Structures are given as structure tokens and as C-alpha cells.
Amino acid sequence: MARISILAALALAASAAASTAAGAQTASPPAFPPHQAPGYYRFELGSFDIIALLDGTHPFDATGLAVGAKPGEVAELLARSYLTSPVEGGFSAFLVRTPGKLVLIDTGAGDLYGRDGGLLVSNLAAAGITPDQIDEIYLTHLHRDHVGGLMRGGQVVFPRAIVRVSREDADFWLNDANRRKVPAFLGTMFDGAQAMLKPYIASGRFQPFDGTAPLVPGITPVVAPGHTPGHRQYLVESGGQTLLIWGDTVHVVPAQFPDPAIAMKYDTDPKAAIVSRERAMAQAADKGWWVAGAHIAFPGLGHIQRTGKGSYAWVPANYSLNRIGR
Ligand SMILES: [Zn+2]
């Protein structure tokens, strides 16, 4: 009886093994995750630690939004990069750890672009940082894809941070009388800026700045109007190294580096935006600065190369598992 049982058990085991083998031949491989790994990227600049943080990505109508391009030019430039419009663009923010303060530059889109944004806090957490550790937030401008991360689900995200932006952008987007000065589709920018800043204004933590003095040692605003009246870039300097966090100086890398004279319908003053872009590109290229862009493919960090008279190329940072800039 015992012998029969052993034989039966062996037969059962053999048939189970056969069915597992047959199953392995026909079953699908496991599904891949719908998202990338957490979007943060750490690098060093002198004695500063910096983390690029991804809030999300959003399809950008590069051909429809271009202003001043030659007919067919944007589509042709996109094709050179194997892209067609709409082009997926990032919403990135940059966290700078100076010796005295933790400073966040821009906050992404938060809830204001539906499911395209809103990853900033989870990516901060992945990097080991909580929102209450942020001391100051410097906004490049008050468009809603930069202020949207200040509130989530109607709640203040950063309970301690002082929020700063240029006086010109504060005066423009927080004053409803200016709505008539911009195309109707930019009306939501007033709504977004006012809703996101309201509790920070109420608690005395919204502090617009004048001039170009450093806001903390090593972070200096750079006047770069056009995309908005008070658009600012931030020059971050430490240990002889320089990074220009330039906000919305470029929206479409494959088009606006080769032809910086292509502007965007979102620009309040396209001519001024072109001047600001050309100046930033020339300076960064000539001085070898690092550049970080809010809408450049994550981590949005790289250098700028001259490719001809008035034309440039973006040179993305070489991916490093550990850190770069050393
Ligand atoms: Zn933007």
C-alpha cells in the first residue's frame, strides 16, 4: 500500500511538473509598470546638493503654439529628433540644499493639469525629504504649471516655506484688471496663481522680491522677461561652479535651440522672450554653465553648445547613478 502510494505520488508530481512546463510555455510574461521609477535626480554643484524633481509630463502642442516660425519649420525640426507634435514635455522643479537653507525652485503643476502632474511630493519622499523641511520656494513665474504644487486637494503643501517671486509677476497675475491684457486662454493662469497663493498670502509667507540681489547666498535672480512680465531665472553658484535654473526659457528643445527666435503663444511678450532666450543661451554656452529647464526632458539638466551663428544644441547631462558635477 505504501509502495503504491509512493508511485502515485511520483506520478502526480510528474504530471504537475508537466503541466507547469506547459503553462510556462503559454502564459504571458508579467506586465511592466505603467510609470517610470521615482523621478528624482541628485547632483552636486560646488558645496550645494541639488535634486531635480519630476512632477509629471504633459503633451505640448509644439506646432500649434509656435509663434514666428517659418511655415513647416517646427515640424521639420521635430522630425530631425524623431518627434511629432504634440511633444511630451516635463514639469520639473529643482531643490537646492545650500549650507543654510533648503530652497525649492518652482513646484510643478500639482492638481492643475489633471493626471499629468502631481508627483512632486512623492518624488520628494523618494529622495528622503518632506514638504515641511522646505525653507523657501522661489518661483520663476506664476503660470499654473509652476505654482500648482503649492496646494494639493485644497490643502497647503508647504507648511513652513516662504514663497517668493518677482514683484512684476506678483503684480501682474494677482491683479484681475490685467486679464484684458492677455489672450482669453491665459485666463486660467490668473485663476491658478490666485488660488494657489491665497493661503500663503494670508499667512504672510508670500514675499515678492525687487531687484537682483541674492535671495540666499549663492542663489541670485536674473531678469528674463517675455514669457511673463516678471519671469526670472535663478543663477546658482557654489565652489566656482554655476547652474542657471532658467524656468520657461525653452519649451520645445528640438525647435528652440536650433532657432531661438521661435516663440510660444504662452509668451506675454514674444519679442522680449526671444531676447531673454538668446542672451541666456549665449551666456551659458560661452561660460560653460550647467542649465536646468522646467520643461526639458527629465532631469532637464545639461549644457549648451553653439552650432552656428545664433543657433544652439542642448547637451543633456550624462546619466550617473551617483552624482554629477564633480
Ligand atoms: Zn511652464
Side-chain angles (χ1 to χ4, degrees), residues 91 113 141 143 145-146 227 247-248 251 294-295:
F91 296 135
Y113 281 72
H141 60 298
H143 277 176
D145 52 320
H146 299 258
H227 181 57
D248 282 13
H251 291 82
H295 300 307

Side-chain angles (χ1 to χ4, degrees), residues 220-243:
T220 308
V222 178
V223 177
H227 181 57
T228 63
H231 184 272
R232 293 290 181 270
Q233 302 160 341
Y234 294 98
L235 202 62
V236 184
E237 297 166 286
S238 177
Q241 296 191 45
T242 302
L243 164 70

Side-chain angles (χ1 to χ4, degrees), residues 121-296:
V121 172
S122 60
N123 283 326
L124 262 179
I129 307 289
T130 52
D132 62 337
Q133 292 177 303
I134 310 287
D135 297 298
E136 309 222 344
I137 297 173
Y138 304 156
L139 301 165
T140 55
H141 60 298
L142 291 187
H143 277 176
R144 61 200 190 117
D145 52 320
H146 299 258
V147 299
L150 290 171
M151 302 269 287
R152 295 300 309 281
Q155 301 295 314
V156 167
V157 171
F158 301 98
R160 289 180 45 242
I162 302 292
V163 179
R164 311 202 68 183
V165 72
S166 74
R167 177 87 54 197
E168 290 98 314
D169 243 43
D171 286 351
F172 191 81
W173 299 105
L174 299 180
N175 181 353
D176 281 329
N178 292 320
R179 284 180 189 260
R180 61 186 166 75
K181 296 181 186 167
V182 302
F185 74 94
L186 287 175
T188 56
M189 300 299 182
F190 290 89
D191 302 332
Q194 293 173 18
M196 296 301 107
L197 287 170
K198 193 174 177 189
Y200 294 87
I201 293 169
S203 62
R205 291 192 286 123
F206 180 60
Q207 298 174 8
F209 61 80
D210 299 288
T212 55
L215 301 177
V216 286
I219 305 184
T220 308
V222 178
V223 177
H227 181 57
T228 63
H231 184 272
R232 293 290 181 270
Q233 302 160 341
Y234 294 98
L235 202 62
V236 184
E237 297 166 286
S238 177
Q241 296 191 45
T242 302
L243 164 70
L244 182 67
I245 299 180
W246 76 5
D248 282 13
T249 299
V250 161
H251 291 82
V252 184
V253 167
Q256 291 177 296
F257 276 96
D259 187 354
I262 296 173
M264 291 288 142
K265 282 186 185 158
Y266 287 107
D267 296 335
T268 308
D269 180 345
K271 283 196 178 122
I274 290 166
V275 170
S276 292
R277 179 162 43 256
E278 288 175 336
R279 186 176 54 224
M281 286 182 173
Q283 270 191 314
D286 293 345
K287 297 182 178 180
W289 290 344
W290 285 105
V291 170
H295 300 307
I296 296 176

Side-chain angles (χ1 to χ4, degrees), residues 65-90:
L65 290 168
V67 174
K70 299 172 202 79
E73 182 187 9
V74 173
E76 189 196 317
L77 289 171
L78 292 180
R80 285 190 210 167
S81 292
Y82 302 91
L83 292 168
T84 53
S85 191
V87 178
E88 201 76 356

